[in-house]
Amino acid sequence: MTKKFTPTPLKLRTPVPSDIEIAQEATLKPITLIAEEVGLRPEELELYGPNKAKVSLSVLERLKDMPSGKYVDVTAITPTPLGEGKTTTTVGLSQAIGAHLGKKVFTCIRQPSQGPTFGIKGGAAGGGYSQIIPMEDFNLHLTGDIHAITAANNLVAAAIDTRMFHEWRQTDEALFRRLCPTDKNGQRKFASSMLKRLQKLGIDKTDPNDLTEDEIHRFVRLDIDPDSITWRRVLDVNDRHLRQITIGQGPKEKGHTRVTGFDITVASEIMAILALTTSLADMRERFGKIVIGTSKAGDPVTTEDLGVAGAMTVLMKDAIKPTLMQTLEGTPAFVHAGPFANIAHGNSSIIADRIALKLVGPDGYVLTESGFGADIGMEKFFDIKCRYSGLIPDAVVLVATVRALKMHGGGPTVKAGQPLAPEYTEENLDLLRAGLANLEAHIENVKRFGVPVVVAVNSFKDDTPAEVELVRKAAIEAGAENAVVSRHWMEGGAGAAALGEAVIKACEKPGDFKFLYPLKGTSIKDKIETICKKIYGADGVEYSPEAEAKIELYTKLGFDELPMCMAKTHLSLSHDPALKGRPKGFTVPIRDIRASVGAGFLYPLLGQMSTMPGLPTRPAFFDVDLDLETGKVVGLF
């Protein structure tokens, strides 16, 4: 029997203390109580200490006949260095709906990378009185999912280079003898992954002794073209010096060097798969479909060909389970997966959303957050995540701030650690009015998908009533169902109660959800140009020779029916981070296109996109330490 939900009272202080002070002063419910309140059974939990737990996927089978709750995506206007507070709004809205409006609710958000946490952005647990706690656990390691991705990714990288090394040095006969060694009874047998490779090659045999010389040659020779390899090693740290490296320089590698590099772990295709998979079997299948490059004959080489997909699944068997946590007011939260939104699809997992929707039931609400602005994370949520999940969104919350809109109106540049210019701290209606076009563009984009949108005006102390009213009026004129000022950062869920009521009302409106483009019957270029023209407002698209070659290759290989995951700057509706507001008259350059076949998308690169961030001169790790007397983490924010 489900235990009645009891909210955790907040201890509000003025001025608002630092995020970590608030988090460490908070009263935490035992995670077993959180589980009991949402209807999870003890056998469906794997405890990681008293405050967090993995949740078994078996709950989906148990609740398969339960009607799902309302599904709400939280997104934002185009980000600025000022920060829009999207995660804070997601958490504050969840606290409002659950702790103040008496509805069942679940927050589903991504696990943050250590790169931003120790770099310049800091943690990602929300802020003020709207946070996921314990915030130290949330931002550091959590239950080890990112480490599991690192291990699985780098196992693939080792498998690639090892296979090439041994193929260079050995005959077909020697390779076959080592790949299929005799057991103590003198018998050979194929591993299960080898049988999958034979099937791909059209060889219908299960006994190694039955293969002909030609079949042995085809079986043992992946013949990987080193120049075609797209798989790189990963590390969950911002380390610019690993962007390009040379491997194989040890004397035993006999001169077989290769230029490659590192990405940050959350950019790994394995992370994207974790977020988009729907079951353990689906994850295993997706892992096997990962294309790491091509053979010299131009055929795709997969992790299944390498024989490593099964081992990857074993390394990821616990990571597939979402982690249960709580907000400051005791409402439940799932933290699961963490793909970046500018280079991947930027959404938390389908599995977490599905479990949450069943747990809240038909009268409840699940808030899931998309990364960066609506032109990136929300578009990918709809066109990629919703395609694979089959889930239909009921409403979108679009977060905006007065000061960010002023920057889009041409306000002065903001630099970290420097005081804000008076344009951002004093009333300036003309500057704000000039930036409203960015908000209007995002509202129009939500409406393209046929989903009701509510604008959350995330309130800061310097906002004036006239400024807030100007934003509200513009949002409603642009087609928003409502635009509501929210003070959750200072007041917790109580400060977002009006926003919660507006979202609940929007969810009751009949929707007409539709994808931006069909997968079949449209070319790769058609999909790219639809996104660029309709969502970004571009006049056209131009392709580099490399991109043209990839389009031809991926069409030939049958990858042209995959959705597009556009890799572009998050700082502008366009491809150029310097273009603020609602840019016009620009052409989007497609520098390259890469395939994440296991994840199930192609990702065009719009201009220069880094998959390994660097550290600033003064990284956030300077402030992070351990209080040796209390054992508490200090300096996170």
Side-chain angles (χ1 to χ4, degrees), residues 101-116:
L101 301 179
K103 305 289 187 181
K104 288 187 177 180
V105 71
F106 235 108
T107 313
C108 292
I109 61 175
R110 291 173 294 166
Q111 179 185 352
S113 162
Q114 286 183 175

Side-chain angles (χ1 to χ4, degrees), residues 520-541:
K520 295 186 178 181
T522 51
S523 68
I524 292 172
K525 282 189 175 181
D526 286 340
K527 296 182 180 80
I528 290 171
E529 289 165 22
T530 296
I531 296 170
C532 290
K533 291 177 181 178
K534 290 189 175 180
I535 300 297
Y536 310 154
D539 284 352
V541 180

Side-chain angles (χ1 to χ4, degrees), residues 315-339:
L315 287 169
M316 292 290 294
K317 68 180 177 62
D318 293 321
I320 195 173
K321 303 165 189 171
T323 301
L324 180 66
M325 297 184 75
Q326 64 189 286
T327 69
L328 282 167
E329 296 192 58
T331 59
F334 274 140
V335 181
H336 200 212

Side-chain angles (χ1 to χ4, degrees), residues 46-102:
E46 295 175 16
L47 297 177
Y48 281 71
N51 301 317
K52 55 188 183 292
K54 286 280 193 185
V55 173
S56 170
L57 273 55
S58 65
V59 70
L60 282 170
E61 178 63 24
R62 176 169 68 84
L63 298 178
K64 64 182 179 182
D65 297 325
M66 169 71 78
S68 293
K70 300 292 187 182
Y71 195 33
V72 179
D73 182 48
V74 182
T75 184
I77 62 170
T78 302
T80 69
L82 292 162
E84 285 58 64
K86 181 154 43 67
T87 304
T88 308
T89 302
T90 304
V91 177
L93 176 58
S94 189
Q95 291 175 173
I97 292 173
H100 297 270
L101 301 179

Side-chain angles (χ1 to χ4, degrees), residues 125-138:
Y129 287 103
S130 296
Q131 296 185 54
I132 304 291
I133 53 173
M135 72 95 84
E136 308 97 300
D137 294 11
F138 180 92

Side-chain angles (χ1 to χ4, degrees), residues 111-177:
Q111 179 185 352
S113 162
Q114 286 183 175
T117 298
F118 289 133
I120 195 168
K121 184 181 177 185
Y129 287 103
S130 296
Q131 296 185 54
I132 304 291
I133 53 173
M135 72 95 84
E136 308 97 300
D137 294 11
F138 180 92
N139 286 303
L140 304 171
H141 303 299
L142 198 59
T143 47
D145 294 356
I146 292 179
H147 301 314
I149 292 165
T150 303
N153 185 101
N154 293 344
L155 180 65
V156 174
I160 294 167
D161 290 300
T162 295
R163 185 59 175 259
M164 288 195 298
F165 177 73
H166 290 303
E167 284 192 30
W168 283 326
R169 297 176 62 242
Q170 298 180 49
T171 64
D172 290 353
E173 182 185 354
L175 280 168
F176 185 64
R177 194 169 59 246

Side-chain angles (χ1 to χ4, degrees), residues 238-429:
N238 289 358
D239 194 342
R240 68 180 69 243
H241 292 92
L242 291 177
R243 289 171 179 166
Q244 182 169 308
I245 62 169
T246 302
I247 60 171
Q249 292 187 327
K252 293 190 176 181
E253 280 62 65
K254 305 185 185 302
H256 291 295
T257 61
R258 183 169 71 85
V259 175
T260 180
F262 275 76
D263 295 331
I264 195 160
T265 297
V266 290
S268 170
E269 184 175 351
I270 297 173
M271 175 62 90
I273 289 172
L274 177 65
L276 290 171
T277 194
T278 53
S279 67
L280 194 59
D282 177 68
M283 186 172 73
R284 172 64 180 82
E285 183 181 352
R286 286 174 179 269
F287 283 166
K289 288 180 178 178
I290 291 173
V291 174
I292 59 90
T294 60
S295 68
K296 290 172 184 171
D299 298 319
V301 178
T302 67
T303 50
E304 201 72 78
D305 293 322
L306 286 163
V308 73
M312 294 166 66
T313 309
V314 170
L315 287 169
M316 292 290 294
K317 68 180 177 62
D318 293 321
I320 195 173
K321 303 165 189 171
T323 301
L324 180 66
M325 297 184 75
Q326 64 189 286
T327 69
L328 282 167
E329 296 192 58
T331 59
F334 274 140
V335 181
H336 200 212
F340 278 177
N342 54 351
I343 49 180
H345 70 287
N347 286 269
S348 60
S349 78
I350 288 172
I351 283 174
D353 290 359
R354 278 186 168 178
I355 293 175
L357 284 163
K358 293 298 183 184
L359 288 171
V360 299
D363 299 324
Y365 298 82
V366 171
L367 310 180
T368 191
E369 178 195 344
S370 296
F372 292 131
D375 57 312
I376 303 183
M378 184 202 72
E379 185 272 319
K380 295 172 182 180
F381 171 75
F382 288 148
D383 281 322
I384 299 175
K385 184 176 178 180
C386 288
R387 284 188 201 270
Y388 288 122
S389 70
L391 299 172
I392 305 298
D394 293 286
V396 163
V397 176
L398 182 66
V399 181
T401 64
V402 167
R403 60 188 195 177
L405 289 169
K406 286 179 177 178
M407 175 170 274
H408 284 296
T413 301
V414 173
K415 293 184 179 178
Q418 294 187 10
L420 290 178
E423 286 88 342
Y424 299 116
T425 58
E426 299 171 5
E427 182 170 284
N428 191 323
L429 296 177

